[in-house]
Amino acid sequence: ARHELDGVAHVLGCEKIGLVLSSPLRRARQLAELIAKNCAAPIEIHNGLSAVDYGEWTGLTPSEVERFFPGDQERWRTDPDWCEHDGESWRALVERQWLTFDAVLNSAQVQRAGSVVVVAHQSMVRSVLTVMRGMTQRQWAELEIPQTSITALTYHVRETPAEAPVLTDLNVKNSMKLSIQYVGLKREDFMPRFVPKLGRANL
């Protein structure tokens, strides 16, 4: 809903944002444009930030996928290379999203910008956290990331490529030092709450 997009844009409008990176999909671009307007920041669109390519499942709800393609969702969640739905396998998805994330954060534009907003999808947050935390495929699928929520990370590029560990299960390299500030907070989590002053707590 539009009010949810406005809420996220309002929260991020209070930050000093130097650049907004966005998935090419319409809803992500709408939010990116709102944030960029509030922060007076430029926007870059990156195809690699797109959501999952669901192939034959595109446009179907999970229950419809199970009805028309029984058992295939479980195969996708447990076999990292399963892609018989003509979409992305889990491994291809995580590698594509992480490699895009790693590349854009290592770019000269991002280094100059400092604070950056990445407007993407739930799968993108799951993939980044999977690489950061060394999570399993099942943990990726079970990680709850609400829609129109905010996840905050701090990062800096490693001084030498030799420091970057290679994640052999996913065939990706982590060239950044990242730490998590918070994951999946909604607009209401940032709203001020009334806290009584200690001196008047008993009145």
Side-chain angles (χ1 to χ4, degrees):
R2 175 59 186 250
H3 74 276
E4 291 183 315
L5 301 184
D6 289 338
V8 172
H10 174 76
V11 170
L12 294 175
C14 302
E15 303 293 331
K16 292 183 178 179
I17 305 300
L19 179 65
V20 179
L21 309 174
S22 178
S23 156
L25 301 188
R26 180 178 58 84
R27 184 173 167 86
R29 291 202 320 272
Q30 286 178 338
L31 178 53
E33 288 165 3
L34 284 172
I35 295 168
K37 180 179 179 182
N38 285 359
C39 300
I43 300 177
E44 288 185 3
I45 306 297
H46 291 270
N47 291 335
L49 298 176
S50 273
V52 187
D53 177 359
Y54 283 112
E56 296 173 342
W57 304 348
T58 300
L60 301 179
T61 65
S63 59
E64 288 172 334
V65 173
E66 189 56 36
R67 184 163 74 249
F68 298 134
F69 306 97
D72 280 1
Q73 288 182 104
E74 182 62 18
R75 294 183 185 95
W76 191 89
R77 291 191 189 102
T78 54
D79 181 346
D81 296 309
W82 189 91
C83 57
E84 293 178 21
H85 60 327
D86 290 331
E88 284 180 296
S89 69
W90 176 82
R91 190 193 307 276
L93 167 70
V94 175
E95 289 180 358
R96 184 256 297 172
Q97 291 183 326
W98 172 261
L99 290 171
T100 301
F101 182 76
D102 185 83
V104 296
L105 289 193
N106 276 283
S107 68
Q109 299 95 310
V110 167
Q111 296 303 310
R112 287 194 299 268
S115 293
V116 175
V117 171
V118 178
V119 183
H121 308 276
Q122 292 156 299
S123 60
M124 183 77 192
V125 180
R126 292 189 182 108
S127 296
V128 169
L129 295 179
T130 291
V131 175
M132 288 179 64
R133 294 173 168 175
M135 290 161 49
T136 65
Q137 183 174 2
R138 176 66 69 178
Q139 289 171 321
W140 181 99
E142 293 175 350
L143 182 61
E144 292 284 343
I145 304 294
Q147 286 191 340
T148 59
S149 65
I150 302 172
T151 294
L153 308 174
T154 58
Y155 72 96
H156 67 270
V157 178
R158 296 177 188 274
E159 292 182 3
T160 63
E163 292 181 344
V166 177
L167 306 174
T168 53
D169 288 347
L170 287 167
N171 193 33
V172 298
K173 182 175 286 191
N174 182 358
S175 64
M176 294 173 291
K177 292 182 179 179
L178 292 153
S179 59
I180 300 167
Q181 291 184 278
Y182 50 81
V183 174
L185 296 189
K186 298 283 287 182
R187 167 68 180 95
E188 52 268 26
D189 296 315
F190 296 89
M191 294 176 65
R193 290 173 171 78
F194 173 72
V195 178
K197 294 182 180 179
L198 292 177
R200 304 187 62 181
N202 296 323
L203 296 181

